[in-house]
Amino acid sequence: MRHIDECRIRNGVPVTTTDFPAAPPLPVVVIGAGPVGLAAAAHLLARGLEPLVLEAGPHAGTAVRAWAHVRLFSTWAELTDPAAEKILAPNGWVRPDGATYPTGGDWAAKYLQPLADALGDRVRYDVKVTGVSRAGRDRVVDADRGAQPFTVHITTPDGAQQRILGAAVIDASGTWSNPNPLGADGLPALGERAAADHVSYRVPDLKDPAQRSRYAGRRTAVVGSGASAFTALAALAGLGAEEPDTSVQWILRRGIGGATFGGGTADQLPARGALGLAAKAAVADGRVEAVTGLRIAAVEPAADGRLVLVSEDGRRLDPVDELICLTGFRPDPALLGELRLALDERLQAPTALAPLIDPNQHSCGTVYPHGASELSHPEKDAFVVGMKSYGRAPTFLALTGYEQVRSIAAALAGDHEAAERVELTLPQTGVCGGSGLFDQPEAAEDTAGCCSSPDTLKIGARPGSTGSGGC
């Protein structure tokens, strides 16, 4: 820490500030104890910086635990961070078999919580961050702004309000609490909020008796076209085979084409390809009814109390009992509203990152690894990382987040050469994270693909890699 030799008086004797004990350095405040937030703490420690991780939930990986029943289609080899493993190793942690597929619950219990435990009191739970700013400066004030520490306002478990000072802020709070609505215009459909008791924004856990009874013997509409929607469709189609009068309707804004169900047997992630094939089979054999070209404008109550979906062009569907909206997530910008952030006007991602991840331009395999440079903002030493950094782009993978925070930790430590260096090399088509179908990892072994073996993954590589995907 720097000291200024200005004269002061102590008991009548001139002294300098170097005679006083140095104040401890301010921590780097990390918001969120999920996979990327905890990796950030590990990389900061490796750089000699002190992290303070603030988690709104009662455990590490609170959001991951919310989909504990869902199996990922990424393997363990693609879900752990090298710096984190170095912290875990002295505690007797054994890395799970890299070729197997964990559930969200496995990821939280076997990796995230042990990592948080190893970090000790650097992780605080049940702490809600309500806002971030600069000490004594709102976003309008220029004077001496960069010299002021960050102020992080929190609500503690007992409801008290406090303010924490930080040398830097890394927002890894994710997007899980902010799902996209049903409305095709990006706003909640008319009547969506009134129908809240019958609308879910999560993949159902049909092993839970309460959730099973919610959908068994009923008609459910699933809205969405990604991996989460495929997971829900496959699960509900299976329920329909066991429970009479259970039916499933699949709502898509576009028509069904060659790419609708993913890469199938050619998919570089076999488990993901199998998931799309399961959804395709459910449509083909009539267990799922597909409704295409429907952009939802309203949810209206039917005479019998069920729900009717109304499209932008006035089309009305037959009533359903339940709606499952799986149309993705979006960032909540309010948390950092007093900081000067440069965000793309469409994606709500950092302006330098947005062109690299724009779904209108990029697909799996064309997103290059990126770090502190692409994630920087006019507000120096403030970063948004992880899924939240991608804004409304629907693609992300854990390893990309780990590379983000490795670079940021290097930049905050002053090692700009390391911050600019790419230390992540992936197969040309990428290693993507997401929900999967398999209960047994062996189910994917017969499907070829460049990502089917963790041997394709290299950490610590020199520049010159092709690029990473985020599917």
Side-chain angles (χ1 to χ4, degrees):
M1 185 173 180
R2 185 178 67 182
H3 299 278
I4 302 174
D5 290 329
E6 61 179 17
C7 290
R8 295 187 178 180
I9 301 296
R10 183 198 294 166
N11 297 326
V13 179
V15 296
T16 65
T17 56
T18 54
D19 295 320
F20 294 94
L26 294 176
V28 176
V29 178
V30 180
I31 305 173
V36 178
L38 291 173
H43 283 281
L44 291 167
L45 279 175
R47 287 287 181 175
L49 302 174
E50 188 64 25
L52 176 61
V53 183
L54 305 177
E55 167 58 42
H59 310 285
T62 299
V64 175
R65 293 171 190 267
W67 47 272
H69 59 289
V70 178
R71 190 169 298 278
L72 286 89
F73 54 64
S74 291
T75 64
W76 270 115
E78 300 143 8
L79 295 170
T80 60
D81 174 78
E85 290 188 14
K86 291 179 180 179
I87 292 176
L88 285 163
N91 296 316
W93 180 78
V94 178
R95 182 181 185 180
D97 182 352
T100 59
Y101 299 89
T103 63
D106 294 334
W107 201 14
K110 297 180 181 180
Y111 171 67
L112 299 178
Q113 193 60 58
L115 177 55
D117 293 343
L119 291 167
D121 59 7
R122 295 182 177 93
V123 181
R124 295 176 58 184
Y125 301 108
D126 293 314
V127 175
K128 182 179 180 181
V129 176
T130 57
V132 182
S133 188
R134 290 276 189 179
R137 308 289 189 274
D138 63 22
R139 67 182 295 162
V140 177
V141 178
D142 291 333
D144 202 27
R145 184 179 189 86
Q148 307 306 312
F150 288 93
T151 58
V152 181
H153 288 233
I154 66 171
T155 301
T156 63
D158 61 3
Q161 294 181 330
Q162 295 180 3
R163 189 177 74 160
I164 295 173
L165 298 182
V169 171
I170 299 175
D171 182 359
S173 59
T175 58
W176 177 253
S177 61
N178 205 29
N180 287 326
L182 287 165
D185 55 7
L187 300 173
L190 300 180
E192 180 174 346
R193 291 193 177 99
D197 289 345
H198 297 281
V199 181
S200 172
Y201 302 88
R202 307 288 186 250
V203 175
D205 179 4
L206 298 182
K207 293 182 180 179
D208 181 320
Q211 291 195 44
R212 184 182 179 90
S213 65
R214 176 174 180 174
Y215 299 104
R218 298 170 184 263
R219 181 171 177 80
T220 300
V222 176
V223 183
S225 58
S228 294
F230 291 165
T231 304
L233 290 171
L236 290 168
L239 180 65
E242 300 171 1
E243 298 285 350
D245 301 321
T246 301
S247 61
V248 189
Q249 193 174 54
W250 182 25
I251 311 300
L252 298 98
R253 292 178 181 176
R254 300 181 179 88
I256 294 178
T260 300
F261 298 98
T265 57
D267 198 305
Q268 286 76 26
L269 286 177
R272 183 185 59 187
L275 179 63
L277 290 176
K280 183 177 183 179
V283 173
D285 65 18
R287 289 178 294 148
V288 170
E289 173 196 352
V291 178
T292 61
L294 190 133
R295 296 177 177 271
I296 299 171
V299 180
E300 296 182 356
D304 60 2
R306 295 194 292 171
L307 303 173
V308 174
L309 290 175
V310 183
S311 72
E312 292 278 358
D313 60 9
R315 187 165 30 142
R316 302 170 66 86
L317 301 186
D318 292 336
V320 297
D321 299 287
E322 298 288 335
L323 289 169
I324 300 178
C325 178
L326 299 171
T327 56
F329 300 85
R330 62 180 63 175
D332 181 358
L335 191 67
L336 306 181
E338 286 304 315
L339 299 182
R340 297 176 176 181
L341 303 184
L343 298 176
D344 180 76
E345 67 275 9
R346 292 174 302 142
L347 296 184
Q348 294 180 291
T351 52
L353 175 61
L356 303 179
I357 62 174
D358 186 347
N360 295 301
Q361 303 294 329
H362 294 278
S363 61
C364 190
T366 63
V367 178
Y368 197 77
H370 51 274
S373 178
E374 293 83 359
L375 296 167
S376 295
H377 293 280
E379 197 74 68
K380 185 177 181 295
D381 295 338
F383 299 93
V384 179
V385 299
M387 188 66 238
K388 191 172 182 178
S389 72
Y390 268 45
R392 297 201 185 192
T395 59
F396 188 72
L397 62 152
L399 285 176
T400 295
Y402 299 159
E403 172 67 359
Q404 288 179 341
V405 296
R406 181 208 62 79
S407 174
I408 289 170
L412 291 175
D415 188 348
H416 299 293
E417 187 276 332
E420 292 296 321
R421 185 173 64 238
V422 174
E423 294 193 3
L424 172 64
T425 301
L426 296 167
Q428 184 174 4
T429 50
V431 178
C432 310
S435 60
L437 176 65
F438 293 107
D439 287 328
Q440 299 297 329
E442 292 79 10
E445 290 180 351
D446 293 334
T447 306
C450 72
C451 300
S452 60
S453 168
D455 293 338
T456 60
L457 177 65
K458 298 178 182 178
I459 297 295
R462 300 297 300 174
S465 63
T466 54
S468 69
C471 297

